[in-house]
């Protein structure tokens, strides 16, 4: 069929709360012990709300008064704890995610990984879940320091064949599509709040549903005039 599907990772392909929840609580407890934070409990929903943000954006919103050196150290510690848990086998993709990726490739789509994660996180996860050969491009926030996800998309979009479709679970992913004028598949099983994906062109409740949604939207896009990747849709 042709075309390119841009995939968010955490909350779309990877059930990241399996790693992020324990790591977040572990590091917050350390901040409490060091006097940087007050003791408190966090629900999984509150912790999950930070998924999809770049580290700088997350800490700026979560603890805006924390000195940069402290939040950067804490952010690194979260990453290290997640890495340890991943190595122990605690991480997992959503059921059907790998099968769905393979089905899209069989249909002739290029697949691109587009995440607000670090390079190390990207590389370790692609290797852990044997995903390297399924993606034609793998881009993360650390490749373009300081840029938002929609800006990263616009930097790399011209490398990949049209039509483009974005798939993700958060408003950052929806913004990629809205600004570029491309279709968006919203994953309701991820970590977005209620109503966060209301501008999606299609909503899916499981990875297995993504193949059909992408195929339909890409087919429609092929028969419609293509928007320039740097021309925002309003």
């Amino acid at each position: 069929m042709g075309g390119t599907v841009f995939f968010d990772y955490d909350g779309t392909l990877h059930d990241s709360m399996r790693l992020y929840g324990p790591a977040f609580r572990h590091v917050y407890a350390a901040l409490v012990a060091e006097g940087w934070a007050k003791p408190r409990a966090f629900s999984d929903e509150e912790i999950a709300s930070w998924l999809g943000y770049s580290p700088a954006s997350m800490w700026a919103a979560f603890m805006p008064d924390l000195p940069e050196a402290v939040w950067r150290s804490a952010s690194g510690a979260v990453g290290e704890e997640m890495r340890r848990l991943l190595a122990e086998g605690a991480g997992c993709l959503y059921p059907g995610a790998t099968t769905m990726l393979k089905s899209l490739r069989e249909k002739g789509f290029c697949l691109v990984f587009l995440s607000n994660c670090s390079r190390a996180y990207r590389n370790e996860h692609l290797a852990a879940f044997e995903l390297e050969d399924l993606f034609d491009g793998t881009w993360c926030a650390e490749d373009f320091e300081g840029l938002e996800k929609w800006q990263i998309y616009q930097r790399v979009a011209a490398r990949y064949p049209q039509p483009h479709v974005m798939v993700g679970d958060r408003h950052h992913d929806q913004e990629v599509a809205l600004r570029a004028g491309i279709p968006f598949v919203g994953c309701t099983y991820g970590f977005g709040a209620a109503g966060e994906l209301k501008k999606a062109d299609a909503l899916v409740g499981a990875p297995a549903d993504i193949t059909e949604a992408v195929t339909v939207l890409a087919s429609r896009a092929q028969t419609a005039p293509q928007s320039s990747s740097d021309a925002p849709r309003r």
Side-chain angles (χ1 to χ4, degrees):
M1 182 173 188
T4 305
V5 189
F6 290 80
F7 276 96
D8 170 56
Y9 180 64
D10 289 319
T12 300
L13 301 174
H14 176 236
D15 186 0
S16 41
M17 273 300 290
R18 300 285 189 95
L19 305 179
Y20 187 61
F24 180 96
R25 292 184 174 100
H26 175 80
V27 172
Y28 189 83
L31 289 172
V32 171
E34 295 165 4
W36 292 110
K38 295 181 179 180
R40 57 162 298 192
F42 293 91
S43 67
D44 283 350
E45 291 74 19
E46 186 173 3
I47 295 173
S49 72
W50 301 117
L51 288 164
Y53 285 77
S54 66
S57 296
M58 178 271 173
W59 287 97
F62 174 51
M63 296 184 72
D65 297 326
L66 203 62
E68 181 176 354
V70 177
W71 72 252
R72 286 193 179 276
S73 176
S75 179
V78 170
E80 286 299 323
E81 183 65 8
M82 292 179 72
R83 183 175 294 115
R84 184 185 69 79
L85 292 169
L86 180 68
E88 291 181 352
C92 72
L93 300 181
Y94 287 108
T98 301
T99 299
M100 175 271 298
L101 293 172
K102 290 178 179 179
S103 72
L104 287 172
R105 285 194 66 88
E106 290 170 358
K107 285 178 173 287
F109 287 101
C110 291
L111 306 182
V112 178
F113 176 107
L114 181 62
S115 172
N116 276 332
C117 67
S118 67
R119 291 191 190 102
Y121 186 95
R122 172 193 62 195
N123 296 342
E124 289 162 3
H125 279 251
L126 292 175
F129 299 114
E130 300 181 345
L131 298 176
E132 301 103 318
D133 293 339
L134 294 179
F135 287 104
D136 300 278
T138 57
W139 303 101
C140 65
E142 197 174 357
D143 294 327
F144 300 90
E145 196 69 37
L147 296 189
E148 299 292 334
K149 184 178 281 189
W150 68 268
Q151 294 171 308
I152 297 172
Y153 165 81
Q154 293 192 2
R155 286 283 189 93
V156 305
R159 299 169 182 250
Y160 305 103
Q162 294 278 0
H164 291 177
V165 178
M166 181 70 205
V167 181
D169 70 311
R170 298 302 310 275
H171 62 90
H172 314 87
D173 309 310
Q174 184 172 258
E175 185 179 23
V176 170
L178 290 173
R179 286 182 177 271
I182 63 174
F184 173 56
V185 176
C187 301
T188 61
Y189 56 85
F191 303 115
E196 189 170 329
L197 306 178
K198 62 184 178 182
K199 295 183 179 180
D201 297 281
L203 295 173
V204 295
D209 301 327
I210 292 174
T211 301
E212 181 178 0
V214 164
T215 302
V216 170
L217 292 174
S219 179
R220 290 177 185 169
Q222 281 182 327
T223 61
Q226 292 294 314
S227 299
S228 171
S229 63
D230 58 359
R233 183 174 70 189
R234 300 298 183 189

